Amino acid sequence: MYTRLKNLFAIKGYSLFVICLLLIGIGISITSPYLPLFLTEDFGMSAGAFGIFMAISSLGGVVVNSLIAKHSDSGMDRRWIIIIAALSAAIGYASYLVFHNFFILLIVVALFNGLAAPALPQIYASAHESANASKSDDKTLAISTLRSLVSLGFLLGPLFGTLILALAGYKGIFLGTAVIYLIVASLVFLFLQKRKIVQSNTKKKKSSDTSWIKNRQIRLPFIAFFFLFVINTIHLIITPLFIVNELNGTYRDVGVVVSICAGLEIPIMLGLGALGKKISNHTLMIYGCLIVVIYYGILSVATHPWQLIPAQLLQATFVAIVMGIGLSYFTERLPNSPGVATTIYYNGSTIGRLVGSLGGGFIAQIAGVRSVFWMCLALGVFSFLIFWRTRSHVEMEVPSEQIRSV
């Protein structure tokens, strides 16, 4: 395993991708735990206004990602897309300290967050292209390792955020995150080389970019991933409430459950990436759906907080499959369009998180927490059926000609 990880750095630019993704993971997680507190307590938004604010900001990213994806595989320089996205993110985070009117802040943040959205998918697309150019035979491990670095950033970021908040308050939080994105933009400008475009393939790629949604072998898995991200988001929101309010647990119990899951995700993600040569990504997705069904079956009948602790092995494996293998799944199915593939994945995750955060709380309030878990179980079954239905094509690449003709 060590040798395989070491060999990944033979991929051109891989060290740069490692640093940038770790920094982005840290940058996002420095701010995200404190953004709701800042906007509701210091800025004065109501909970409803905050929900609208985040929804519009997220949907702006989906729109920009979709527009960029149509061109990023057809000649547009990914290097400048990433630079502009990172600079936009820096401006977006700094805007929280400049604008004090709700509507002005909403417009500015929605604009610059939207422009910042392509940063992650385009970095992954660049990494995929570099792996192809370097003739790497370990692309699944390469992408899942990069994705694990974002997760590592999510573990480190809140620690840095707590320290920065204590020393410099919210000003330090937002400016610190902006500086991180400026560093990412500078590194990409200095060290990421412009890719070479094969002009003869441009028309073929454009066709595949614009018509992926017409192909059921891409469209149906996208729907399944959307549901899986809904499930994961609901888990993050509802499980702490379930432990404290339904199981009479403590905040310490919540911390133990969350920490165990987070600590297991990264090694499992790396291990699953290493299995890429032995087990297809599609098969792993089927296993992931089965795991999430078992996990929510446990949650729906749990009566004590300790029962959730061993079950976190299942949740961590599910998250590792969806987060770590999902990118490779779509790039494998759209090998000539890595920008479109990563955008499909990230748009599914963004919309899934939005629906999960809004729908989970609403259903829990109307029907109770355990009803939410039963709903998640049903969504897991539905996702399993989608992947099972499309399994016969798993070993086949989806050629651009086929996508164009559907």
Side-chain angles (χ1 to χ4, degrees):
M1 182 63 180
Y2 171 77
T3 302
R4 290 177 65 185
L5 289 173
K6 184 178 179 181
N7 289 339
L8 295 181
F9 289 90
I11 297 174
K12 194 171 184 178
Y14 198 78
S15 298
L16 173 64
F17 300 136
V18 165
I19 295 171
C20 288
L21 289 171
L22 179 60
L23 286 174
I24 290 176
I26 292 173
I28 294 172
S29 59
I30 282 177
T31 308
S32 56
Y34 304 106
L35 186 59
L37 296 174
F38 171 77
L39 290 177
T40 55
E41 295 180 1
D42 285 48
F43 195 87
M45 288 186 191
S46 65
F50 173 72
I52 294 172
F53 183 90
M54 296 306 296
I56 294 176
S57 299
S58 299
L59 292 176
V62 171
V63 172
V64 174
N65 263 338
S66 300
L67 294 175
I68 291 295
K70 294 180 180 181
H71 306 287
S72 64
D73 296 320
S74 304
M76 185 180 289
D77 190 356
R78 293 194 204 283
R79 178 169 170 265
W80 281 107
I81 296 175
I82 297 168
I83 292 171
I84 292 172
L87 293 175
S88 297
I91 296 172
Y93 281 108
S95 298
Y96 289 106
L97 302 175
V98 177
F99 300 101
H100 305 288
N101 177 273
F102 173 81
F103 292 103
I104 295 176
L105 183 66
L106 174 61
I107 293 170
V108 173
V109 171
L111 172 63
F112 286 105
N113 277 6
L115 294 174
L120 273 176
Q122 293 300 323
I123 290 176
Y124 283 118
S126 295
H128 180 81
E129 286 182 332
S130 294
N132 285 338
S134 302
K135 295 181 170 55
S136 172
D137 61 348
D138 227 348
K139 287 191 283 291
T140 297
L141 179 61
I143 299 300
S144 62
T145 300
L146 291 176
R147 182 59 186 82
S148 71
L149 288 164
V150 178
S151 296
L152 178 60
F154 285 172
L155 290 178
L156 299 175
L159 302 177
F160 293 132
T162 302
L163 180 61
I164 294 172
L165 187 64
L167 295 176
Y170 286 119
K171 182 177 181 179
I173 288 284
F174 291 117
L175 289 181
T177 304
V179 168
I180 288 175
Y181 276 97
L182 290 176
I183 293 172
V184 171
S186 301
L187 290 173
V188 172
F189 177 76
L190 293 172
F191 299 110
L192 183 60
Q193 296 182 359
K194 183 177 180 179
R195 64 185 175 132
K196 296 180 180 179
I197 303 297
V198 180
Q199 295 296 330
S200 61
N201 288 336
T202 300
K203 184 178 292 186
K204 182 186 293 185
K205 291 180 180 180
K206 283 185 179 179
S207 294
S208 65
D209 291 353
T210 57
S211 56
W212 68 266
I213 200 169
K214 298 178 183 178
N215 187 279
R216 66 188 298 273
Q217 297 302 321
I218 305 296
R219 183 181 68 253
L220 291 180
F222 171 79
I223 294 171
F225 269 95
F226 161 73
F227 284 128
L228 294 178
F229 275 107
V230 169
I231 291 171
N232 189 52
T233 302
I234 287 176
H235 181 269
L236 295 174
I237 296 172
I238 299 300
T239 301
L241 300 176
F242 176 64
I243 292 173
V244 174
N245 298 331
E246 296 285 331
L247 302 183
N248 298 317
T250 64
Y251 288 102
R252 181 178 179 275
D253 294 325
V254 173
V256 170
V257 169
V258 172
S259 298
I260 289 176
C261 183
L264 290 172
E265 285 173 18
I266 295 176
I268 293 176
M269 202 175 290
L270 292 173
L272 292 172
L275 290 174
K277 291 183 177 181
K278 299 179 180 179
I279 304 177
S280 72
N281 291 331
H282 195 92
T283 300
L284 285 174
M285 294 312 306
I286 291 175
Y287 291 157
C289 294
L290 290 175
I291 288 170
V292 82
V293 169
I294 296 171
Y295 178 70
Y296 279 96
I298 294 173
L299 257 63
S300 62
V301 298
T303 55
H304 297 87
W306 66 264
Q307 295 168 342
L308 273 63
I309 294 177
Q312 293 313 298
L313 178 61
L314 297 173
Q315 171 64 9
T317 304
F318 163 69
V319 173
I321 290 174
V322 175
M323 303 295 184
I325 304 300
L327 277 166
S328 297
Y329 180 90
F330 284 108
T331 53
E332 181 182 75
R333 293 200 153 207
L334 290 170
N336 292 327
S337 303
V340 173
T342 53
T343 296
I344 291 171
Y345 174 82
Y346 270 95
N347 281 353
S349 68
T350 300
I351 300 172
R353 284 194 296 268
L354 178 60
V355 172
S357 58
L358 295 175
F362 177 77
I363 295 174
Q365 184 175 355
I366 298 299
V369 172
R370 291 188 189 269
S371 297
V372 177
F373 291 153
W374 283 112
M375 184 195 73
C376 289
L377 190 152
L379 291 178
V381 171
F382 188 70
S383 299
F384 167 80
L385 294 175
I386 289 176
F387 285 117
W388 185 262
R389 177 137 182 122
T390 57
R391 73 193 185 284
S392 60
H393 299 272
V394 68
E395 301 301 335
M396 300 169 57
E397 285 190 346
V398 182
S400 298
E401 294 83 353
Q402 179 186 344
I403 295 177
R404 184 171 65 247
S405 63
V406 172

